[in-house]
Amino acid sequence: MANLVRLLVLGGLFFSPAMLIGDDFELRSTGPNTLGQRVDVDLEIRGNVSAEFDGESATNLPLEVDGNFIYRERQLRSQKSTRHIREYETASAKIDYGRGKQSFTLARGNEWLIADRRSNPETGKRVRYLTSTSGLKQGELDLLTIPASTLVWDRMLETTKVAVHQKWTPNDDLLADVLTIDKLQTNEVQLELTQVERGVATIRITGAATGIVDDAETEIQVQGTCEFDLSAGYTRQLRLTLQENRTICESAPGFDAVVKLEMHVDRPSDDILPQTEIESTKLNERQWTDTLVLQNATNDFRLRYDRRWHVIADQDQKVVLRFIDANLLLGQCAVQYLTSLPSPDAYTLEDFRRDVAKTTETKGQLVGDDSFTTDRGQKVMQIDVKGKVDAIDVTWRYYHLAQPDGQRLSLVVTFDTEIAARFEGVDRRLIDSIEFLRASSNAPQAQNASSQTTK
């Protein structure tokens, strides 16, 4: 919801107490690839969040967020891309959105992360955060995704031969990453070098931008100033204010809020996250992943999934996720924990087919079934139902998954039949990731395996 810049003066290495307006400067970003840096960010959000609760019309609730982030970082030598290793000393936020207060922080073991900018803006999503543990939770990813990442901020400022009071427009993709949105639609943001005095360059940021986040539209007014130490070549301070109005979408509430961010960067030094520490802890040898992990509210099961899935409900033994790719909603999956059986064979494909037929008799026809066993030894039965919703061809894919001790889940996957090819394999990868976490003797009250329905 913050990258080192080297500001090189054309034709000189020494600075007078005040630069003349007629002088030109070349702004170049090199990143913290030779020295480590320590970053301290304070974040404040004040406004309103708009959401639909239990099928009701949109409700506006007050939103207050206070966050603090302190980390050491250095660019990994083995990486040609802007991939930074970070150790978070603090990553926390307190959130009050009118229906209760919550606190978020990184789970133990996730203090060490890799921050990696997307290599292809058309297929990737913003700045990625990778962990060497089992994965980040959705709340942890949301916590880390703050504006003005150090991976992209200074690169966004790059220009050549700019004079004091001259203005220029930042690159669309870099600005999108700075604002944590997927795609920029309009860019009226301007940067202005307002002064260079005593070796410090001040840049003002003003203007407006519109864009897409997942499948939501957003409008952002931007104001801020940043200071660069020209002799040392690093961003030492940034103050940024964003007035954002984001619409409600299929995966998240909308909001109208003011975001204030203040960032301070310590003078880069070999003593900050030295290369010897990275080598001694074998950080370069770890396996890093941007997989997300969900452990349901009552600790019955665990899922691992990619960032295109978004958790929209996690209540008791039921979880609902939506799959958004290239800013389009492609599918939904509802997962329900069921009563354990004496054995996986106690509930047959014929039983499952009969139950699905009862549930779907008014909305579609059964068109096929299948069964298979996952690598974890879980028995899976699958039945497809095709029908129409508001004149749109829809496929409902029902799964019953049971492991050898009798624990089981029901999954209902819904997607537009016309885009089935784009959804191919997505649900299967989700199923392959499932782990059961409790003993079958602790199972909840029985439910029909096909009792779920989705829109």
Side-chain angles (χ1 to χ4, degrees):
M1 291 188 224
N3 234 348
L4 244 200
V5 141
R6 302 282 181 183
L7 299 182
L8 303 178
V9 178
L10 222 56
L13 298 176
F14 301 96
F15 304 95
S16 61
M19 293 295 180
L20 298 177
I21 291 180
D23 290 343
D24 286 342
F25 304 93
E26 184 175 13
L27 313 184
R28 289 190 179 277
S29 170
T30 60
N33 57 353
T34 57
L35 302 173
Q37 63 186 21
R38 185 177 185 273
V39 182
D40 188 336
V41 180
D42 287 316
L43 181 72
E44 175 188 290
I45 303 175
R46 296 291 185 269
N48 295 285
V49 61
S50 301
E52 296 177 356
F53 296 96
D54 301 324
E56 301 174 1
S57 59
T59 302
N60 290 325
L61 299 172
L63 172 67
E64 294 186 3
V65 179
D66 293 287
N68 179 239
F69 308 83
I70 303 174
Y71 56 89
R72 299 182 299 160
E73 73 174 343
R74 179 190 288 260
Q75 186 171 334
L76 291 176
R77 286 182 176 177
S78 61
Q79 301 297 329
K80 295 181 180 179
S81 64
T82 54
R83 176 173 280 202
H84 295 184
I85 181 73
R86 288 182 180 174
E87 183 195 27
Y88 279 87
E89 175 185 321
T90 299
S92 62
K94 295 180 179 179
I95 302 175
D96 185 347
Y97 65 101
R99 291 202 170 190
K101 298 180 179 180
Q102 291 181 287
S103 296
F104 291 91
T105 188
L106 285 177
R108 187 174 181 180
N110 284 340
E111 299 91 348
W112 285 101
L113 293 170
I114 293 251
D116 186 19
R117 181 177 182 258
R118 57 187 182 175
S119 57
N120 184 347
E122 293 301 319
T123 59
K125 279 186 65 64
R126 303 187 284 268
V127 173
R128 301 187 305 156
Y129 296 93
L130 298 83
T131 175
S132 61
T133 61
S134 60
L136 292 171
K137 295 181 180 179
Q138 183 69 56
E140 293 178 287
L141 176 62
D142 295 341
L143 175 69
L144 295 170
T145 306
I146 63 174
S149 169
T150 50
L151 273 74
V152 292
W153 175 259
D154 295 340
R155 292 185 60 198
M156 184 193 72
L157 302 177
E158 287 189 326
T159 188
T160 59
K161 296 183 179 180
V162 59
V164 173
H165 299 314
Q166 184 176 341
K167 298 179 180 180
W168 68 102
T169 300
N171 172 273
D172 284 0
D173 286 334
L174 290 167
L175 179 60
D177 286 341
V178 162
L179 299 177
T180 68
I181 63 179
D182 296 334
K183 185 177 181 180
L184 217 60
Q185 293 178 314
T186 63
N187 176 7
E188 298 176 0
V189 174
Q190 288 195 318
L191 309 172
E192 180 185 1
L193 180 62
T194 60
Q195 69 175 27
V196 179
E197 187 173 354
R198 299 186 182 278
V200 176
T202 301
I203 295 175
R204 179 186 295 132
I205 308 100
T206 57
T210 63
I212 300 293
V213 185
D214 296 321
D215 58 336
E217 295 182 350
T218 186
E219 299 175 352
I220 306 175
Q221 297 287 333
V222 184
Q223 287 188 334
T225 59
C226 56
E227 297 179 357
F228 298 91
D229 186 321
L230 297 181
S231 60
Y234 76 103
T235 305
R236 70 180 193 180
Q237 184 170 277
L238 166 67
R239 290 185 176 90
L240 188 65
T241 299
L242 308 175
Q243 170 72 57
E244 181 168 6
N245 189 335
R246 186 180 300 186
T247 62
I248 300 174
C249 69
E250 298 286 356
S251 62
F255 61 86
D256 184 358
V258 176
V259 180
K260 293 183 178 181
L261 178 143
E262 186 167 335
M263 180 178 71
H264 298 271
V265 181
D266 284 353
R267 190 180 187 90
S269 168
D270 265 329
D271 297 329
I272 300 176
L273 192 56
Q275 189 66 33
T276 53
E277 183 178 349
I278 294 176
E279 294 171 355
S280 65
T281 52
K282 298 184 178 180
L283 293 173
N284 283 334
E285 300 177 17
R286 294 186 185 182
Q287 296 296 315
W288 299 90
T289 178
D290 63 351
T291 296
L292 298 177
V293 61
L294 167 66
Q295 190 162 312
N296 80 309
T298 47
N299 298 319
D300 308 300
F301 59 89
R302 182 185 294 125
L303 299 172
R304 288 182 172 82
Y305 56 98
D306 72 46
R307 289 178 56 176
R308 292 172 295 178
W309 284 107
H310 299 261
V311 178
I312 63 168
D314 181 8
Q315 298 177 341
D316 298 327
Q317 280 126 359
K318 186 174 182 179
V319 171
V320 181
L321 306 96
R322 286 179 177 162
F323 187 82
I324 298 175
D325 190 26
N327 307 121
L328 294 175
L329 175 64
L330 298 185
Q332 176 172 298
C333 179
V335 188
Q336 176 77 54
Y337 187 74
L338 305 172
T339 297
S340 293
L341 296 172
S343 75
D345 298 326
Y347 188 73
T348 66
L349 182 59
E350 185 60 34
D351 295 329
F352 189 36
R353 188 183 295 110
R354 182 181 61 250
D355 288 339
V356 170
K358 289 179 181 178
T359 301
T360 63
E361 60 183 351
T362 61
K363 67 179 181 181
Q365 293 183 334
L366 278 65
V367 295
D369 56 53
D370 192 13
S371 61
F372 56 90
T373 302
T374 70
D375 291 341
R376 299 178 189 273
Q378 299 156 344
K379 181 180 177 180
V380 182
M381 296 182 291
Q382 171 191 331
I383 295 176
D384 283 4
V385 176
K386 290 188 178 181
K388 287 183 179 292
V389 175
D390 296 331
I392 298 175
D393 292 326
V394 175
T395 297
W396 292 269
R397 182 165 290 163
Y398 287 80
Y399 289 102
H400 178 273
L401 182 149
Q403 69 172 14
D405 70 357
Q407 288 191 85
R408 58 192 184 130
L409 292 174
S410 173
L411 298 93
V412 181
V413 179
T414 310
F415 55 91
D416 185 335
T417 304
E418 290 187 3
I419 55 87
R422 292 184 60 180
F423 201 68
E424 185 69 30
V426 172
D427 49 346
R428 178 61 186 270
R429 288 191 291 273
L430 198 63
I431 286 174
D432 288 341
S433 77
I434 292 174
E435 299 175 78
F436 289 90
L437 303 176
R438 64 192 300 168
S440 58
S441 60
N442 294 326
Q445 183 177 356
Q447 296 192 38
N448 184 295
S450 66
S451 61
Q452 304 177 66
T453 57
T454 56
K455 294 180 181 180

